[in-house]
Every structure is written in structure tokens, then in C-alpha cells.
Amino acid sequence: MTSKTSLATFVILLLSLIGRSSEAEERSSRGLLALYTFQEGKGRSIRDRSGVGTPLDLEIERPGKVRWKKDAITFTGKTRIFSSRLPHKILKAVKNTGEITIEAWITPKNTTQQGPARIVTLSQNSSARDVTVGQDGNKFDVRLRTTKTSENGIPSLASGNKTAQARLTHLVYTRTKAGIATIYLNGKKSSSKKIAGSLDNWNESYRFLIGGEWSADRGWLGDVHFVALFSYALSTKQILQNFKAGPKVTVSIKDPKASKKVEKVTPKESVEKVTPKEEFTLHQPSSPEFFKEKIVPLLTKHCFKCHHEKKAKGKIDLTQKALVFPGPDPDAPLLTPKKPEKSLLYEVVLIDEMPKGNPPLTQREKLLLQKWIAAGAVWPTEKIDYEAIAPKKDSGELILRRLTVEEYIDTVEALFNIDVEEEARKLLPPDLRADGFSNTAYNLTVDLQHIEAYQGLAEHIVDKIDLQEIGLKYSSCENLSLDCIEDIVSELALRIFRSPLQTEELESYQKIAALIADEGGSFDEGLYYVLYAMLQSPRFIYRAENQLGDGKAKRVTSFELATRMSYLIWGGPPDEKLLQAARSNSLQTDKEIESQVKRMLQDPRAKKQASRFVKEWLDLDRLSVLRPNKKHFPHWSKELAQDMRRETIAFFEEVAWKENQALSTLLNAKKTFLTPRLAKHYGIQPQSKKFALYDLSNNPARGGILTQGSVLTMGGDEASMVTRGLFVLKDLLGSKVGDPPPELDTTPVPSKKGMSRRDVAQTRVVNPSCGGCHAKFEPLAFAFEKYDGVGGFSESDEHGNTLREDGVIEIPGDKKEHEYKTTQQLNDLLAANAQVQRTIEKKMIQFALGRPLTENDTEDLKQIHNEAKADGSSYRAVIQALVKSNLIRMTQTEVKS
């Protein structure tokens, strides 16, 4: 065995072991119809081991073209493995439910098989079928016959390119009654689309086959380890459960419901059978009050986020009655009163297809929905005001935080002293901004591209690790015995996962080492695969915490606190000193926390993390894609954009980090850092040929972030007063205004001769229809009229209009009007305002927590502000106060359901 060549064949099997206990995980068996485990080991018959109805056993036509393995069969040439009888039990059950799942564990021989080559099929020949799961080169292809597709099952559903590889693969195809067809690979969704129509036209004379077509063509080559068919579309959770169970069936699979009368089970019955009877003592499901008190909260919690007036995903708006009945597709109505089984809304939540990317509905919630629809789906109001009832994005909900791309890079470097920045940025999708930052937890999702990237990066990292050095660091052993590997695995996991392993997790990694040892592998190979698996574990990729409890807040564990502190201050994992404090449990004391924070703030990584905050807060990365109109700004270049980015970061590091000044000083500090190119752009005589510190004491036009190009460019080519004013209102004064009406034309009105940008803005401010909102923020930008769309300064615009910098503003919460005559006076006014300091602190804390702040945080924010104020209101002071607060030391728990 060699570590590189065996990697592709072992990875899926090894990863399927992680997180399992010493006993095999039980498979989901809902709606099981047929099951083949290939444990016969010889002969020409394969038994249906489902225990459902009359067994659908299979016959091997040409035994010489197959080779038996332990719990698998290998197709070495063209042959057919077919059902000895017609598959009536499959046809009857699937046609009755309108749903199907085909599950298989396979190892393709190569990626050149065409046709598609038949893996599992229920068909007659190459052009007539009920359903076929096949391989077409480097992807999988599924054809399903419905009343809306052809007899050949066209259009088909295919997985992405390069998803079919010559390695062990868990392949699942599901199709719901609503027509949602999905391919899952190794527990993750690969592709999905709607295949309309019903299955009523399935032909009952077709045979069930594995590895080839009934017409003796389209043969497939490779290993088949497991095949199962179900009369329901398994949910994503159930498919992941089956993936974790692995390809070997070590426990019996029973489905007593199916063995009795699987063909007649309906979605309605399935929920009622598994859910305790509910007593609706206050209101009947047919009453308007039931809709208001039960259904609206349910829809608000699970559906409205993606399906409301301003964000109707899939063209589905669930807030307006007229758009719900029947919905955008008459063939698949969202709601059919008194018929839950014919309501798409109910169907997709029943099988956990919705809500996407969020926890599924509980059985009780599904029953509420089913009873409401069965009672007539009474919808007493024409429109639901989602904006009025929408919860905050983080109103106490528990969110699992994935490592950002930057955190992943820094974590790997801290753990192994390996630089993976180039590979990580090339392979991992960029983190998208939400609520003003790219580290917002609810937006840090994981898709197929992430999974593939983590796998590739894990291999890249482990290839660079000195395995001998790692092994000797944590143990004197050099063999793969359980005792020897236990010490190494435990110590590695503590650092990689940032907390100790549970017993079952330790056993899982020991199984990997044992498997390698059984195959004759070396110590290095065993450690290679252990590390390879760890670096793809959710425990590494996510910052997981134990949040189960009684529903109340509790203290985080010492290891959880260490992780929170290290990613808050450094953007990376805990070091040895922090882990040791967590191990000894001394980290729970105020004295130890203070000592650790002071030590950590002296580390260069703390300065790097501080700079990362200002980059995120001001969205400095947008400068790299800024493309102003060349006609209006001929001197703009990507180099000038980079200079602006460097200016703001260096300015922040000087004022907020080196000088340790109050955060509000960023608004009026009379200094900056410039290259000769940027100095010339600002109209300043260059003082150096390099990037250098400039004193702006005698320059009335510059000083503070609001006069820097990186911030001024957010107004676009037209130097929008709206955008600039909203930034001051929201990001400095911590206030907000509502969005404009959807029917309003928001196209910027350009300036012209006789009407400057300020004049245009003033027309909106005095307009009765607009002024209610615009008067709150556009005057906040009047001081910056002399700065064009790319931060250049001039006394008049391109039309010859004289530009001004004086004005009067009202600060939210302060009834007094504040007059200023110059830009610098406004900057001084803002810097001296306590609300500005609080708002910048809140932005810091939001970035540190990775979530939007809510009303529940109010008291903690006050305490942090007061403590930081007593220590100068600097960046360091806020960090020290934050770490000691309940926002870091406590967590909200949820009751285990």
C-alpha cells in the first residue's frame, strides 16, 4: 500500500467512519422496497434483503463476467443482473406515492463509460425506461419517465463534471411528488431541478436490473457494494445518515410499516403515525385565529426569509394570499385546501427539502401545517407585513460558525507553519458580505465547491507536514497500536479541533489507523490518513460549541472560551499557553483572562486582526474591482486604488493601534500615509518617493477617514450624497432609515450647469414625498461636495458650479441643530460625539462575534462601552472589555428535542 495511490480509494470510506460510535450507525429505512448487500460471496443469485413484501431476488446472467468480493460484486465484462420476476412491489408503491429514492454505494472502474452506462435501471431497452441511474463519463446521469418527460426519461438530471470518479462513492437519487429531483454524492447535494409530471405512466412490464440494460447493452464496469430502493424521497438528513452508516450493512434493516402495507402509506399518514396527538385547545385549525397564532409564526420562522415581497425566491411570495393560491405553477399548487398531499408547500417541508440551508420543521410543526391545510387552509388576510414581524437575523438563534477563508489560512499556518494562502484563495469560494461583514455566521454556508476544496487542501497540507516530527512530538511510539496512536491523535485533535476528543471520536480515528495497519501500511501512512481526515472534519472547519442545555444562558467551557478569544484577537487558533490555561481551567478567572488578553494583544497577529476589522468595516476590498468612468476619471488606475487601500489601513494602524487613541479619533486625526501617486491625486506635494507618513495640520481639505479616497469612492462616479450620507448615518451615528418604496425610481439625478450635486440633493430634502427620510442623511454629506467620485478635491465641478462645504446637521437623539462651516469642523463635531464612539465599538463587536447585534445585547454593550471609556475608548480597551463580558463568556443554550 502507498499513501498517494491509495488516497482516492480510501478517502470516502475513512471519512464515513468519522463521528460514528463503535456500534454501526442505523440506516434510515422509511419506505424501503428492495435491498441488496451482495454478502452472498458466490453463486449466481443475489437476495433482496429488505424483508418487504415478496422478495425481488436477482439473477446473474453470465457469472464469468463478475467477480465476488467481500460484501461487493465487481462487473468485469458485459452481463446483466436482473430481477427474476417483474418488480410489481416497486412499481405499485412508487406509482402510489409519486416518489422514489435509489441509493447505491459503487466504485466505477473508470471515467470513460458512456451511454449512460447502466448502474441501476428499471427499463426495457436503450430508449424505453421507467428510471435509470447511470454513468456518463465523469458525471452521473439519471433519466426518469413521467407524464411530462419522454419514454426515454428525457430531459434527464446530471451531476456536475468530474463528480464521477474511480473511487468509492455514495450515490443517491431522489424525486419528490412535487417533481423536485436531486442527486446526492457522499452525503451532499450535487444537483437538483424540477422534473414535472406524475409517475402514473410507468410501464409494469419492465425489469429491474443492475450493471446493464435488459437489451444486453449499455453495460457498466466497476464494484457495486450496496443498492436500495425506497417509495419515498429521503430527506437530506436521512441521506447523510445513510452515508455515515457506510457501505456495509452490519445491523438488520427493518421497516415494519412497509412490510405491512407500504404501498398505501401516504404523506399524511406518515406524519400522524410518528407524531403524538396534538390537542388544539384554544382554536380549531379552520379558524382565523389558528392561522394568526400558529401558521404565521411558523411561516415567519421557516419560510418568509426567502419568500416575501422583496425577495421571492423561485418566484414564490408567501406573504400575499393572491400569490399563494395556487402559486406560480398551477401543475404544482403551493396550497390545495383540504388536500395536504397535493400541496407543494407541505410536500417540501415534509421531506425536509425546505427550508434550504436551515433546520427542518419539527414533527409538531409539520403536523400543525398538515392539520391547517386539511381544515381548508383558511387565510383571512390579503397580505402579511413581513417587515413588521420579521425577527432580527440573530435574535438569540444559535449559529454554527465556519472558518472564513482568512481564518482557515491563518489557522493552518499557526498549526503547521504552512502557508496555504495561494491554494486556499484559488480553491475556496470567497466569503460574501452580509450585514456589513464577510464573517457573518449565518452567511458562511458550505456547498459542494467547499467540500471539494477542503479535500484538496487537506491533501496539500498533509503532503507538506513532517509526519515523523509530528509523531515524535506527542509520542515516543512509532507503530499503529491503539495505545500508541491514542496519545498522538488526542494531542493533535486538541490543537486541530481546539478542544478534546470525545471517546467515540477517538475510536473513529483509531479505526483509521487500524485500517491502515491491516492493509500493511506504515506509521507515517497511518498518521497521514488521520490528519487527512481531521482536516476535513466539521470539528476543524467549524468553530463548534456545545449549546445544548435548558434553554437558558450558561458559561462557555474553558476550551470554547480559548477559541473565542483567539479568533477574536488573532483571527486564528489558540496557542499552547492559551490551551494550557484552558486545560487547567484557570481561564475562567478574571485575573487569568486579563493576563491572557494583554499577552495576546502584544502578538503581531493582534495588529493584523485589527487591520482586518477596518478592511471589513469600510469594505476596502471593493477598491480592487472599482472601475470609474475613464472619460471622467482618466487618471484612475488599479495602482491608485491599491494606494487608497494601503492609506486607510496604515492610518488605522497608526492612530488606533500604535498611538492607542480613541476610535472616534479616526474621524479627525490630521495625518495620513501616502504614495507619491496618491499625494498628487489629492493635490498634495509629494514629500517622499516612498509610501510615507504625512502631517496634514496645515491642510484643511484632508484629515480623517471621511476625506480619504477609500471612503469617498463609495459614492460612485456621481459622488452620491445619498450613499455618503447613509454611511455617516448608519456606520458612524448608528441610526437607520427605511428602504425606498419598491416602485420608486432611484436612478441618480446628475448635476448640471446651475445645479450642483448638493442642489440636486436639496430638492429631495425639501420634497414632501422624500424629505422625511432624505433630510436625515443627505445633509450629513454636504461637507464632502468638493470631493469627486474618486476622492479628488476641487472648488468647482465640471459644469462650473461653485461647491460648498458648510451646512447644518441634526444628530439622531439630539434635538439641537449643529452648524459647521468647513469639512474639518464637521469631522471634529463627529469625533467628539459619544454616539460615534459607540457605533464604531458596535461595529468592532459585531465583527468579533460574527453576527448582527440585537436588543438582547444592549446591557452588555453599555457595560463594554463604560469599561472601554475608562481606559481611553481605544481598540485595545474595547477588546479587553469585550472579552470580559457575557457576550464572550456566556452562550445561549437550546433544549435538546
Side-chain angles (χ1 to χ4, degrees):
M1 171 179 171
T2 61
S3 61
K4 302 299 183 294
T5 58
S6 58
L7 180 59
T9 57
F10 270 89
V11 58
I12 299 300
L13 181 59
L14 295 182
L15 292 180
S16 72
L17 290 172
I18 303 304
R20 295 172 58 194
S21 65
S22 57
E23 296 182 3
E25 185 160 342
E26 189 172 346
R27 297 175 182 275
S28 175
S29 59
R30 177 173 178 260
L32 182 67
L33 293 173
L35 173 67
Y36 306 97
T37 59
F38 306 97
Q39 61 196 69
E40 289 78 8
K42 61 181 179 179
R44 60 186 307 156
S45 298
I46 300 170
R47 289 186 57 198
D48 170 10
R49 300 177 182 273
S50 65
V52 178
T54 303
L56 189 66
D57 294 341
L58 307 179
E59 297 294 326
I60 304 172
E61 183 182 42
R62 302 170 68 187
K65 297 297 181 180
V66 300
R67 184 172 66 251
W68 283 100
K69 291 184 175 180
K70 183 180 180 182
D71 300 320
I73 194 167
T74 301
F75 287 83
T76 58
K78 288 186 178 181
T79 187
R80 297 182 301 181
I81 297 181
F82 60 93
S83 58
S84 54
R85 64 175 69 240
L86 291 176
H88 290 310
K89 70 172 182 177
I90 295 175
L91 290 158
K92 187 176 181 181
V94 170
K95 289 173 74 172
N96 182 63
T97 63
E99 300 189 348
I100 189 171
T101 294
I102 300 175
E103 177 187 10
W105 279 93
I106 59 170
T107 304
K109 182 179 180 181
N110 53 53
T111 58
T112 60
Q113 305 184 63
Q114 303 291 329
R118 300 339 188 213
I119 301 171
V120 176
T121 188
L122 208 163
S123 54
Q124 183 180 45
N125 53 46
S126 60
S127 58
R129 75 199 65 265
D130 288 334
V131 63
T132 295
V133 177
Q135 180 185 345
D136 196 6
N138 62 7
K139 59 187 177 183
F140 296 105
D141 188 84
V142 182
R143 299 181 180 183
L144 179 77
R145 182 183 184 181
T146 74
T147 54
K148 296 287 187 179
T149 64
S150 71
E151 187 180 14
N152 196 20
I154 302 297
S156 64
L157 174 65
S159 62
N161 288 328
K162 297 184 180 179
T163 53
Q165 300 292 325
R167 64 189 181 199
L168 183 63
T169 302
H170 185 233
L171 168 63
V172 180
Y173 170 80
T174 68
R175 195 264 189 180
T176 70
K177 189 172 184 177
I180 302 169
T182 307
I183 294 176
Y184 295 83
L185 297 176
N186 300 322
K188 298 292 182 181
K189 186 181 295 185
S190 174
S191 60
S192 184
K193 72 176 182 181
K194 185 170 183 179
I195 304 293
S198 74
L199 308 182
D200 292 342
N201 63 339
W202 270 30
N203 193 311
E204 297 189 10
S205 66
Y206 294 168
R207 297 276 180 165
F208 176 69
L209 303 101
I210 297 176
E213 187 57 78
W214 182 245
S215 53
D217 56 358
R218 302 293 196 272
W220 180 84
L221 301 178
D223 296 348
V224 181
H225 307 262
F226 175 98
V227 172
L229 279 81
F230 303 81
S231 62
Y232 286 100
L234 296 185
S235 68
T236 301
K237 181 179 179 181
Q238 291 168 325
I239 291 166
L240 181 60
Q241 179 182 340
N242 286 3
F243 168 64
K244 289 182 177 179
K248 295 183 179 181
V249 179
T250 56
V251 294
S252 60
I253 298 181
K254 298 178 181 179
D255 189 1
K257 294 187 185 71
S259 64
K260 292 177 183 176
K261 215 167 188 179
V262 67
E263 296 88 350
K264 294 187 178 180
V265 177
T266 66
K268 175 181 174 181
E269 291 170 342
S270 67
V271 174
E272 291 179 334
K273 286 181 179 181
V274 298
T275 310
K277 184 178 180 181
E278 293 283 345
E279 295 295 336
F280 302 109
T281 56
L282 295 179
H283 304 294
Q284 292 300 314
S286 59
S287 68
E289 291 79 9
F290 186 88
F291 175 79
K292 179 181 178 181
E293 296 181 10
K294 299 292 184 181
I295 301 304
V296 171
L298 185 153
L299 296 175
T300 302
K301 178 181 177 182
H302 294 287
C303 308
F304 288 159
K305 180 180 177 181
C306 296
H307 302 290
H308 60 87
E309 185 177 25
K310 295 181 181 179
K311 185 181 181 182
K313 281 191 175 182
K315 298 182 180 179
I316 295 175
D317 177 3
L318 295 177
T319 63
Q320 300 187 64
K321 182 178 181 179
L323 301 178
V324 173
F325 297 92
D329 185 356
D331 291 333
L334 288 174
L335 286 174
T336 303
K338 298 187 177 181
K339 294 182 179 180
E341 70 278 3
K342 292 187 178 181
S343 299
L344 177 61
L345 177 63
Y346 178 64
E347 289 289 304
V348 295
V349 300
L350 178 64
I351 62 170
D352 300 337
E353 278 295 329
M354 291 290 175
K356 280 189 177 179
N358 289 294
L361 275 66
T362 65
Q363 293 295 340
R364 182 180 183 278
E365 289 172 326
K366 291 176 183 177
L367 183 60
L368 286 172
L369 190 61
Q370 181 265 319
K371 284 186 174 291
W372 171 67
I373 299 172
V378 174
W379 194 297
T381 181
E382 293 301 317
K383 184 177 180 180
I384 299 169
D385 187 352
Y386 172 66
E387 297 296 335
I389 62 176
K392 300 274 188 181
K393 284 189 175 69
D394 189 326
S395 53
E397 61 179 318
L398 306 175
I399 300 176
L400 194 63
R401 289 189 64 176
R402 169 175 63 77
L403 296 182
T404 65
V405 175
E406 290 187 331
E407 287 172 342
Y408 182 94
I409 293 166
D410 286 359
T411 298
V412 171
E413 184 172 8
L415 289 172
F416 305 110
N417 196 27
I418 294 173
D419 182 3
V420 293
E421 181 168 8
E422 182 179 349
E423 292 81 3
R425 295 198 185 279
K426 180 172 64 177
L427 295 176
L428 285 169
D431 299 319
L432 303 179
R433 290 173 67 83
D435 274 303
F437 294 95
S438 65
N439 73 334
T440 303
Y442 71 77
N443 207 43
L444 294 174
T445 56
V446 172
D447 57 24
L448 181 62
Q449 188 178 352
H450 283 93
I451 299 299
E452 293 174 341
Y454 290 135
Q455 181 179 330
L457 286 166
E459 183 176 0
H460 174 81
I461 294 165
V462 181
D463 282 342
K464 290 190 172 186
I465 293 176
D466 187 332
L467 298 171
Q468 287 283 334
E469 182 181 340
I470 288 283
L472 292 173
K473 184 175 181 179
Y474 300 118
S475 175
S476 58
C477 298
E478 291 191 34
N479 61 70
L480 294 177
S481 66
L482 292 181
D483 291 340
C484 184
I485 204 70
E486 178 178 348
D487 292 339
I488 300 174
V489 168
S490 297
E491 291 300 319
L492 279 174
L494 178 63
R495 289 150 183 83
I496 294 174
F497 297 158
R498 304 170 285 275
S499 63
L501 285 174
Q502 299 296 319
T503 302
E504 61 270 19
E505 292 177 306
L506 175 61
E507 290 173 351
S508 295
Y509 288 105
Q510 287 177 318
K511 286 179 183 178
I512 293 178
L515 180 60
I516 302 302
D518 290 345
E519 293 291 327
S522 66
F523 176 81
D524 281 5
E525 286 177 318
L527 190 53
Y528 181 101
Y529 285 114
V530 168
L531 282 167
Y532 181 74
M534 283 184 174
L535 291 174
Q536 294 177 78
S537 167
R539 286 281 305 275
F540 172 65
I541 295 167
Y542 288 91
R543 287 168 50 185
E545 296 181 354
N546 179 13
Q547 294 173 319
L548 294 179
D550 57 5
K552 299 178 182 179
K554 71 171 184 178
R555 276 184 179 265
V556 297
T557 68
S558 293
F559 287 103
E560 291 168 350
L561 179 58
T563 298
R564 289 187 174 195
M565 289 172 61
S566 66
Y567 281 95
L568 186 161
I569 299 173
W570 290 337
D575 63 0
E576 292 298 320
K577 290 183 179 179
L578 201 53
L579 286 175
Q580 183 55 42
R583 266 178 162 169
S584 65
N585 215 33
S586 63
L587 197 55
Q588 294 289 357
T589 67
D590 291 345
K591 182 178 180 181
E592 182 64 22
I593 290 174
E594 248 181 78
S595 174
Q596 290 288 347
V597 172
K598 287 180 180 179
R599 176 185 71 84
M600 295 170 72
L601 285 171
Q602 294 173 359
D603 191 293
R605 287 175 290 179
K607 179 181 176 182
K608 181 180 178 181
Q609 181 71 350
S611 301
R612 191 173 285 160
F613 158 68
V614 76
K615 181 198 75 173
E616 285 276 332
W617 172 40
L618 301 178
D619 193 15
L620 299 183
D621 285 346
R622 65 181 163 75
L623 291 165
S624 63
V625 295
L626 199 62
R627 299 291 184 270
N629 189 311
K630 276 290 185 183
K631 181 179 178 181
H632 294 152
F633 307 106
H635 302 298
W636 179 265
S637 66
K638 62 180 182 180
E639 290 79 16
L640 183 62
Q642 181 63 21
D643 291 346
M644 291 178 177
R645 187 180 189 276
R646 288 182 67 194
E647 174 194 17
T648 300
I649 292 175
F651 171 77
F652 179 85
E653 290 177 347
E654 177 74 13
V655 174
W657 188 260
K658 182 179 177 181
E659 296 177 355
N660 202 33
Q661 298 213 48
L663 291 168
S664 58
T665 310
L666 295 168
L667 276 297
N668 66 345
K670 297 294 287 183
K671 63 184 67 176
T672 196
F673 288 79
L674 304 172
T675 62
R677 177 174 43 238
L678 185 55
K680 193 178 298 184
H681 178 72
Y682 283 171
I684 297 174
Q685 183 64 35
Q687 300 174 6
S688 170
K689 294 182 179 181
K690 299 179 180 180
F691 185 63
L693 175 64
Y694 281 65
D695 183 356
L696 301 176
S697 300
N698 298 319
N699 188 324
R702 303 287 173 180
I705 59 171
L706 293 178
T707 65
Q708 294 177 4
S710 63
V711 174
L712 291 165
T713 50
M714 69 174 58
D717 287 10
E718 295 295 328
S720 168
M721 294 276 184
V722 171
T723 305
R724 289 176 175 178
L726 283 173
F727 173 78
V728 176
L729 182 75
K730 294 179 178 180
D731 284 66
L732 295 178
L733 293 171
S735 188
K736 61 182 179 179
V737 292
D739 293 330
E743 69 276 6
L744 188 68
D745 182 7
T746 57
T747 304
V749 178
S751 57
K752 59 184 179 180
K753 188 172 180 63
M755 182 170 279
S756 69
R757 291 187 295 274
R758 178 173 178 154
D759 295 330
V760 173
Q762 192 65 42
T763 63
R764 291 188 289 264
V765 171
V766 300
N767 187 321
S769 301
C770 308
C773 289
H774 283 261
K776 295 178 181 178
F777 58 85
E778 288 208 70
L780 296 171
F782 285 175
F784 308 104
E785 187 187 24
K786 294 184 177 182
Y787 302 89
D788 64 22
V790 295
F793 181 87
S794 62
E795 297 290 346
S796 61
D797 64 16
E798 66 270 30
H799 306 293
N801 299 313
T802 300
L803 305 178
R804 297 166 55 186
E805 58 181 313
D806 63 306
V808 177
I809 65 169
E810 290 185 10
I811 293 177
D814 183 356
K815 297 181 180 179
K816 178 184 175 182
E817 288 189 340
H818 298 270
E819 183 178 356
Y820 63 88
K821 294 183 178 180
T822 66
T823 302
Q824 189 58 51
Q825 284 184 9
L826 175 64
N827 289 341
D828 290 341
L829 192 158
L830 292 172
N833 187 273
Q835 186 59 29
V836 171
Q837 174 68 31
R838 286 193 182 94
T839 302
I840 301 176
E841 289 173 3
K842 288 180 180 178
K843 292 293 178 180
M844 266 187 65
I845 295 168
Q846 180 183 340
F847 175 70
L849 298 179
R851 65 166 175 84
L853 303 178
T854 72
E855 292 182 5
N856 295 334
D857 303 319
T858 302
E859 291 304 315
D860 291 317
L861 293 174
K862 285 181 182 178
Q863 180 183 340
I864 293 168
H865 172 74
N866 291 334
E867 288 192 22
K869 185 178 179 180
D871 199 17
S873 298
S874 65
Y875 178 91
R876 288 183 177 87
V878 175
I879 290 293
Q880 289 169 329
L882 173 59
V883 174
K884 290 188 290 183
S885 76
N886 287 338
L887 293 180
I888 298 300
R889 300 177 70 175
M890 303 290 288
T891 187
Q892 180 65 39
T893 66
E894 64 178 2
V895 180
K896 186 176 182 180
S897 58

